[in-house]
Amino acid sequence: MSARPAAGTGEDPGAAAARLTGRPVTRRRPLSATLTEVTLDGGRTVMVKRGDGPGAVRAEAAGLRWLAAADTVRVPAVHGHDRHWLVTGQVPVGRPSARAAARLGRDLAALHTAGAPAFGAPPPDGPTDAYIGLAPMRNVPGTDWPHWYAEHRVLPYLRRAVDDGTVGRGEVELIERACERLPELAGPAEPPARLHGDLWNGNVLWGTDGQAWLIDPAAHGGHRETDLAMLHLFGCPHLDRVLEGYQEVAPLAAGWADRVGLHQLFPLLVHTVLFGRGYAGQALTVARTALAR
């Protein structure tokens, strides 16, 4: 089975892996339209990912390196990249365990504590115009989390959802009012945390080594509760153990559980833009709940 070349390159994933690693390729196995498992001469297996969006590969590579630099959570090594292709280490996937989940919680707390220069700060060498999944995401630094979060993480996707007809114009006010109340609902001020940024269950791999590995980051400086809220939104095996481990290292501020919905507004609206009306209904429910507090 052949994988199609990346747009404008004429290369397939095997040729890209050989060029970026300097090693001949002995085997390739397409896993999806954008992801291929490639075996290099000598037996090492790598993952080759195609990124078609401008700056997408650069953003992901910079994010992986920024997370790795904290020496906390486990992320695949970057073996090479260019404008269109990203080559990373492969994570042999096993089964989730309570022990690995507790360690993930401790390591995630340490990652967040490693910090960021500002809310919205991109990773070093990362672009301002990045992505979360397939949705564009701008990394614009700010110093005040409630205002930054509303301006750069909630309202841009709300406006696009309205333009797409997914959110009605009469519904916009509900989410805008929730944004206006963020300063009083956000809890105690927190320093900028080093976020994975797209921490849903699909981006947590439970390795055969008994550890949890994080992939596909949308890394930036943000509020640490946002990463945890995304784990809550889409589910995570042994989430209670993840939270226990997290609290051991960096206890969350009082009332954090009541703020989970506020931090979910961002991914819910991203998913509204990408996948449609079902997520819009969830976002509106979150806004109503926040306004009722």
Side-chain angles (χ1 to χ4, degrees):
M1 179 179 179
S2 62
R4 70 182 180 90
T9 70
E11 271 189 313
D12 65 26
R19 175 174 57 82
L20 291 169
T21 65
R23 302 293 297 274
V25 169
T26 60
R27 181 176 175 272
R28 65 182 185 179
R29 182 168 71 99
L31 302 178
S32 71
T34 59
L35 190 65
T36 302
E37 182 183 275
V38 170
T39 303
L40 304 175
D41 185 39
R44 171 182 282 179
T45 300
V46 296
M47 306 304 293
V48 183
K49 183 176 181 180
R50 189 186 75 246
D52 290 333
V57 172
R58 178 184 165 198
E60 185 169 342
L64 286 169
R65 288 174 170 149
W66 194 42
L67 300 185
D71 196 24
T72 55
V73 296
R74 285 151 188 78
V75 295
V78 176
H79 294 304
H81 70 93
D82 62 12
R83 182 179 175 185
H84 296 284
W85 299 102
L86 174 66
V87 181
T88 65
Q90 180 209 40
V91 179
V93 178
R95 296 176 64 85
S97 70
R99 182 176 179 179
R103 178 160 185 177
L104 172 61
R106 294 191 295 270
D107 292 346
L108 190 61
L111 172 71
H112 292 163
T113 303
F119 299 111
D125 300 323
T128 296
D129 293 306
Y131 289 82
I132 178 166
L134 297 176
M137 181 185 79
R138 284 185 58 80
N139 285 323
V140 179
T143 57
D144 177 77
W145 183 79
H147 291 96
W148 170 84
Y149 181 69
E151 183 176 353
H152 298 292
R153 289 295 180 266
V154 176
L155 296 178
Y157 302 98
L158 177 61
R159 295 184 190 111
R160 180 169 166 183
V162 171
D163 290 343
D164 293 343
T166 312
V167 172
R169 295 190 180 277
E171 297 170 322
V172 172
E173 182 184 358
L174 192 64
I175 295 176
E176 289 179 335
R177 284 168 53 208
C179 286
E180 290 170 1
R181 288 195 59 194
L182 276 171
E184 66 182 277
L185 298 174
E190 295 255 359
R194 189 172 306 195
L195 298 190
H196 175 280
D198 192 8
L199 197 58
W200 72 289
N201 181 49
N203 286 340
V204 180
L205 300 184
W206 303 92
T208 55
D209 59 358
Q211 307 292 342
W213 293 70
L214 306 185
I215 62 171
D216 296 350
H220 62 279
H223 196 301
R224 61 192 182 126
E225 292 177 12
T226 303
D227 266 353
L228 298 176
M230 196 172 291
L231 282 178
H232 277 85
L233 179 60
F234 297 110
C236 177
H238 305 291
L239 180 57
D240 57 336
R241 296 301 303 275
V242 174
L243 294 171
E244 288 172 11
Y246 192 100
Q247 296 273 34
E248 289 175 12
V249 174
L252 294 162
W256 70 268
D258 295 330
R259 295 188 291 271
V260 168
L262 292 174
H263 290 272
Q264 290 176 344
L265 271 177
F266 166 42
L268 283 171
L269 287 169
V270 169
H271 277 68
T272 298
V273 166
L274 293 177
F275 305 115
R277 177 67 190 181
Y279 291 102
Q282 292 184 58
L284 291 165
T285 297
V286 164
R288 289 189 191 97
T289 300
L291 291 171
R293 286 170 56 186

